[in-house]
Amino acid sequence: MHEGELHDLSDDADYAAAQQQGSASMMRCDSEKRRSSNEPEGAEIVFSKDNVTIHPTQFASERIGGRLKLIKQSSSLFLTWIPYKGQSTNARLSEKDMNLYTIREVPFADVRSIRRHTPALGWQYIIVVLSSGLAFPPLYFYNGGVREFLATVKQHVFLMRSAEDANIFLVNNFQNPLQQTLSSLELPGAVSIACVPSTPDLGGESASHENEERNDVAILDGSPSTRQYDRRERQKVHDPARDISIHVLEKFSLVTKFARETTSQLFGETQNNTFNVFERINFNQSILDSSQKPHNDAVEVNIAVPSDPFELNNLSLAWGKPRQPPLGLEEWATFLDSEGRVVDSDALRKRIFYGGVEHKVRKKVWEILLGYQVYESTYAERESRRSMKRTEYEIIKNQWQSISPEQEKRFTKFRQRKGLIEKDVVRTDRSISFYSGDDNPNLNLLHDILLTYSFYNFDLGYCQGMNDLLSPILFVMEDESESFWCFAALMERLGPNFNRDQNGMHSQLFALSKLVELLDGPLHNYFKQKDCLNYFICFRWILLQFKRELEFEKTMLLWEVLWTHHSSEHLHLYVCVAILKRYRGKIMEEQMEFDTLLKFINELSGEIDIDAILRDAEALCLCAGENGVSCIPPGTPPSLPLCNDIYLNPELEDKVL
């Protein structure tokens, strides 16, 4: 997503140096160099990452979360992974079983290689292979961090890429790199499979990122260039990662009985149905047969569309509640005490969820919903905070305003981001009177806020689409400083959508696929048949929170409903499901392929009845219940970043080193 940066950060000296110094913005709660009183003298935590997860069975909903650490003691580097106490979603696993998965102080002198895998859909994971040939189960990075992990390892041990597979990193191997092949891993058949030129390495990070970089603009604009992505996805003939991983985990199965089960689903392109609570309706076999047989063009073929297992009209009547008028100024006052505190935050969020907010009240409400102000603050406290944050904003803004022309010539990153912002700002919501016309001062504010944010969060910087998220906020707040801080608060939730590895987007698209599978099996099977299981057709919906699908006023209504987190903090995914189900008949009847489907989805812009969709989404969320929750991994945006120190097993923590 970032401008023209396609190289691997694990080979970036500047990036590695930044990791060594500590990046408070990128890894503020999980990658500081900390020292525990329980650790022996000289031990130093050089990397720590929360929400690194092991899947003990073939069911994606069953997982064990934990913390991954790299610990340096003297000149040696150790790897540990400790599960969170009582955090397994698998009821079959006892505390003793969970301890089987604990990785205790493994020295990198005993590590042969690290394999990195970035699937087209899902989470990045690594497989650590020991010199003995055994391997630990895959470690899934739900919140990203694989690059940082590899960069940190590279600072302390000799790490080099395999000449045969760029996603295999050999540890402390000092032989001629040209002699390194996958055969060194003792994986039968891996070399011949991995080296087949006609098989694209869809799991390769550099390839997938390059593809994502080329297509983010295309998807936003609905460009035909998205066909390149479709063609790339359809070339899935064989996945070397599956063969390698199966053999590796077969070795690990000597240690634990669950590991072999994992490979049957987690490394495959498709996954079995993991939810048996709802009865699945099998896809009409005649459709599958007809897609494989040639037809006479003169013969009209009637396509039988499978029935919807959860008919929306009936579902909404049974579960969804009717929408209400928006919250007005007088009613807003009833939620506040005499000093301005919100008396009942749950009741307020529920009221906004079912009706939204009148525009004249939005400024007061949005700053609280976004977390810029807190529910318990008084009028005086909120005003004091505005003053303090305005001063802070000016300090950050002055950082780029004070850059001289000579300095700018030597500041490539600044010039690139500034150029992108200038190009995007002039195209932002120009049909709205607030941004229309030449020399509009509001466009200048939009520009300044975005450029200031790129300095405030320098690691993330600026990406196309951020202008769309800021535009309604500035329209509502009508104040530069307050708009900035509300936008910064929103980006705390949506920032992972714009990470270079797009881990946040992958996580949400994967969760969406599981929700569709749960709530509309026939539609999910149809997408499977059409090679659309990556749900890339919904990319723009999620990235921009439906900003380009709805009228400006309706966008603001949807956003304030989503921000309440009343029904679910991931209600936007149920909104996606509701829209797809509304148009499922047309999609399946016309046998839309990826290109046609993407065009159809983009043409829905301005045609969506958001009140009906919100009612449908609430009904689907209630109907899915806990099964729906299990479809969405912890930390999936727009969840706030998770710090799980309180869940760490103290007994295991004491045993580290």
Side-chain angles (χ1 to χ4, degrees):
M1 294 288 290
H2 283 260
E3 52 277 11
E5 299 175 349
L6 302 178
H7 61 281
D8 187 343
L9 286 182
S10 66
D11 292 331
D12 190 325
D14 293 336
Y15 184 85
Q19 291 301 310
Q20 191 172 16
Q21 296 167 5
S23 175
S25 174
M26 178 179 290
M27 304 173 69
R28 62 183 179 279
C29 68
D30 57 16
S31 66
E32 298 175 11
K33 295 183 179 180
R34 304 185 297 271
R35 179 176 296 174
S36 169
S37 59
N38 296 321
E39 294 167 8
E41 186 68 25
E44 180 186 19
I45 300 174
V46 294
F47 176 88
S48 179
K49 188 67 179 177
D50 285 306
N51 292 317
V52 177
T53 301
I54 286 177
H55 293 257
T57 74
Q58 72 269 32
F59 298 107
S61 60
E62 296 183 353
R63 49 186 176 262
I64 304 174
R67 173 177 292 170
L68 180 69
K69 287 183 180 181
L70 294 176
I71 302 175
K72 184 179 180 182
Q73 186 174 18
S74 300
S75 59
S76 301
L77 187 68
F78 297 84
L79 173 114
T80 68
W81 180 83
I82 301 175
Y84 300 137
K85 187 175 183 180
Q87 291 297 296
S88 172
T89 60
N90 187 349
R92 295 181 300 165
L93 288 177
S94 65
E95 201 72 26
K96 181 179 179 181
D97 292 328
M98 290 176 60
N99 288 342
L100 289 175
Y101 292 92
T102 301
I103 302 174
R104 294 184 176 88
E105 61 265 15
V106 175
F108 269 79
D110 295 340
V111 176
R112 174 183 292 174
S113 66
I114 302 170
R115 177 173 178 86
R116 172 187 62 185
H117 189 68
T118 305
L121 186 63
W123 311 280
Q124 282 187 306
Y125 63 83
I126 62 171
I127 297 176
V128 178
V129 182
L130 301 178
S131 302
S132 62
L134 295 177
F136 293 109
L139 296 169
Y140 287 81
F141 287 67
Y142 273 21
N143 295 337
V146 172
R147 283 190 183 82
E148 293 86 343
F149 171 80
L150 292 172
T152 306
V153 171
K154 189 174 182 179
Q155 294 171 20
H156 300 283
V157 301
F158 183 74
L159 191 69
M160 61 176 291
R161 292 179 184 271
S162 166
E164 298 297 330
D165 191 332
N167 286 301
I168 292 181
F169 296 83
L170 305 177
V171 179
N172 293 328
N173 193 313
F174 300 99
Q175 299 180 31
N176 186 332
L178 295 178
Q179 299 174 354
Q180 302 306 314
T181 65
L182 290 179
S183 60
S184 65
L185 297 178
E186 299 178 359
L187 306 180
V191 176
S192 60
I193 293 173
C195 297
V196 176
S198 61
T199 304
D201 186 2
L202 294 177
E205 185 165 307
S206 60
S208 63
H209 286 174
E210 181 178 358
N211 188 57
E212 290 161 359
E213 298 255 359
R214 291 174 178 173
N215 283 283
D216 66 335
V217 176
I219 286 296
L220 291 176
D221 297 333
S223 167
S225 65
T226 54
R227 297 175 184 177
Q228 297 176 359
Y229 183 94
D230 185 41
R231 285 195 298 269
R232 188 184 186 95
E233 289 296 299
R234 294 180 183 215
Q235 292 174 348
K236 297 176 182 175
V237 179
H238 203 69
D239 185 4
R242 179 183 178 88
D243 300 273
I244 294 174
S245 303
I246 285 178
H247 188 76
V248 167
L249 289 181
E250 280 176 342
K251 292 186 175 183
F252 181 76
S253 66
L254 299 174
V255 182
T256 171
K257 63 182 179 180
F258 294 113
R260 181 61 183 88
E261 291 180 300
T262 307
T263 62
S264 64
Q265 182 173 39
L266 294 177
F267 295 114
E269 292 291 343
T270 61
Q271 298 183 346
N272 296 326
N273 186 350
T274 60
F275 304 101
N276 297 320
V277 176
F278 299 98
E279 180 181 359
R280 293 293 189 265
I281 300 178
N282 293 328
F283 193 65
N284 192 317
Q285 187 62 37
S286 63
I287 298 179
L288 299 176
D289 294 338
S290 64
S291 67
Q292 300 170 2
K293 299 178 182 179
H295 297 281
N296 189 328
D297 292 339
V299 179
E300 181 179 353
V301 179
N302 293 323
I303 302 298
V305 177
S307 60
D308 187 346
F310 299 102
E311 180 61 43
L312 276 181
N313 291 331
N314 297 332
L315 197 66
S316 295
L317 287 174
W319 295 84
K321 297 181 181 179
R323 306 295 299 166
Q324 300 175 10
L327 176 72
L329 192 59
E330 293 183 2
E331 187 179 1
W332 159 250
T334 64
F335 285 95
L336 307 177
D337 66 13
S338 59
E339 295 184 319
R341 301 180 186 87
V342 175
V343 178
D344 189 341
S345 60
D346 290 336
L348 176 61
R349 287 195 295 268
K350 182 177 180 180
R351 176 65 181 87
I352 297 171
F353 179 85
Y354 286 110
V357 179
E358 288 184 359
H359 185 70
K360 57 186 176 182
V361 192
R362 278 196 170 117
K363 183 173 183 177
K364 303 175 185 295
V365 174
W366 278 27
E367 63 180 9
I368 293 178
L369 286 179
L370 286 169
Y372 169 51
Q373 302 283 3
V374 296
Y375 289 94
E376 299 80 11
S377 60
T378 64
Y379 294 126
E381 289 169 342
R382 290 199 282 271
E383 187 56 41
S384 174
R385 178 172 175 79
R386 290 189 193 101
S387 177
M388 178 186 68
K389 300 302 283 186
R390 185 172 291 108
T391 301
E392 185 177 348
Y393 172 73
E394 292 300 329
I395 293 173
I396 302 171
K397 183 178 179 180
N398 186 61
Q399 292 177 6
W400 63 264
Q401 285 185 323
S402 62
I403 295 177
S404 66
E406 288 300 315
Q407 185 182 3
E408 183 174 339
K409 291 179 182 178
R410 298 166 174 81
F411 199 165
T412 303
K413 180 74 70 178
F414 173 69
R415 293 198 314 272
Q416 290 175 340
R417 291 178 174 175
K418 181 181 178 183
L420 283 174
I421 291 171
E422 290 172 348
K423 181 178 66 175
D424 288 344
V425 160
V426 297
R427 301 182 297 181
T428 304
D429 292 324
R430 299 307 299 274
S431 61
I432 307 299
S433 59
F434 188 78
Y435 294 111
S436 65
D438 298 330
D439 301 322
N440 189 317
N442 293 321
L443 293 179
N444 296 332
L445 292 178
L446 203 66
H447 169 275
D448 290 356
I449 293 172
L450 290 171
L451 196 53
T452 303
Y453 181 78
S454 73
F455 271 70
Y456 172 74
N457 189 347
F458 200 82
D459 290 327
L460 184 59
Y462 173 79
C463 299
Q464 185 188 34
M466 290 183 181
N467 55 315
D468 282 285
L469 297 178
L470 173 60
S471 172
I473 294 177
L474 180 58
F475 176 80
V476 169
M477 305 307 294
E478 296 183 300
D479 178 271
E480 183 176 355
S481 172
E482 292 182 52
S483 297
F484 171 84
W485 291 113
C486 286
F487 175 70
L490 178 62
M491 292 305 295
E492 285 297 301
R493 308 175 186 183
L494 301 183
N497 290 356
F498 298 93
N499 284 344
R500 190 189 323 199
D501 61 7
Q502 293 190 340
N503 186 272
M505 290 300 300
H506 286 315
S507 181
Q508 290 170 92
L509 290 172
F510 176 82
L512 176 59
S513 73
K514 301 307 296 179
L515 287 175
V516 174
E517 183 180 13
L518 172 67
L519 295 166
D520 196 337
L523 181 60
H524 180 80
N525 289 337
Y526 175 84
F527 287 146
K528 176 181 178 181
Q529 177 196 4
K530 299 299 180 180
D531 289 333
C532 294
L533 277 185
N534 55 23
Y535 284 82
F536 199 67
I537 55 175
C538 303
F539 189 96
R540 189 173 77 179
W541 292 357
I542 295 174
L543 182 70
L544 302 182
Q545 301 289 281
F546 304 92
K547 167 68 163 47
R548 298 194 184 178
E549 323 312 319
L550 303 172
E551 299 172 358
F552 201 77
E553 173 63 30
K554 295 299 183 181
T555 298
M556 294 187 289
L557 168 63
L558 174 63
W559 285 9
E560 58 203 15
V561 169
L562 297 179
W563 296 341
T564 64
H565 290 181
H566 171 68
S567 181
S568 168
E569 63 180 336
H570 299 101
L571 185 68
H572 68 296
L573 297 179
Y574 291 95
V575 171
C576 292
V577 178
I579 296 174
L580 291 174
K581 288 175 72 66
R582 278 288 172 188
Y583 294 96
R584 71 188 298 279
K586 183 177 180 64
I587 291 172
M588 299 169 74
E589 187 175 296
E590 297 184 8
Q591 289 290 288
M592 295 183 183
E593 303 285 344
F594 179 85
D595 289 351
T596 309
L597 185 55
L598 182 61
K599 182 176 182 293
F600 172 74
I601 292 295
N602 287 335
E603 289 175 350
L604 290 179
S605 179
E607 302 294 325
I608 297 174
D609 183 348
I610 193 57
D611 288 325
I613 291 298
L614 281 173
R615 188 173 179 181
D616 293 345
E618 181 197 9
L620 290 168
C621 182
L622 292 172
C623 188
E626 289 301 316
N627 287 325
V629 173
S630 67
C631 292
I632 306 171
T636 297
S639 299
L640 291 173
L642 300 177
C643 288
N644 292 309
D645 295 66
I646 59 174
Y647 297 118
L648 197 64
N649 189 331
E651 180 180 347
L652 293 176
E653 178 78 355
D654 292 340
K655 294 180 180 179
V656 176
L657 289 185

